[in-house]
Amino acid sequence: KRKVVDFVRLLQGDRVGLVAFAGEAFLETPLTYDYGAFLSFLQLLNPDLIPIQGTNIESALTTSIQALLNRTGEGVGASTSS
């Protein structure tokens, strides 16, 4: 958690999101510019919050990609110019 906090404090104008995972993944915070809210959710995160234990990295990646795709209805790497 400390490394994530240090990283977020370096950001300026970038959105962050949080996906918690073990045996399954959950989007804890969607992409946001609100670093304070993100850090609050990060501090509340603990292993007991995930009902199924394990290391399902596939679920974490799928959830993360879905959060990116849903951010504005664009695909990853999609051009925003007209």
Side-chain angles (χ1 to χ4, degrees):
K1 288 182 183 180
R2 283 182 263 158
K3 293 292 185 185
V4 173
V5 170
D6 291 344
F7 175 72
V8 169
R9 288 190 175 143
L10 295 174
L11 299 176
Q12 295 179 349
D14 296 301
R15 293 187 297 171
V16 293
L18 182 62
V19 173
F21 76 99
E24 57 186 319
F26 299 93
L27 181 63
E28 294 295 321
T29 62
L31 290 174
T32 182
Y33 293 107
D34 188 344
Y35 300 152
F38 172 86
L39 293 172
S40 293
F41 277 96
L42 178 66
Q43 293 307 316
L44 294 172
L45 198 60
N46 72 64
D48 296 329
L49 294 176
I50 310 294
I52 300 172
Q53 296 303 302
T55 309
N56 189 345
I57 191 74
E58 179 183 2
S59 179
L61 292 172
T62 300
T63 301
S64 299
I65 291 168
Q66 198 62 33
L68 288 171
L69 293 173
N70 289 336
R71 71 179 193 258
T72 59
E74 304 166 4
V76 174
S79 174
T80 57
S81 61
S82 302

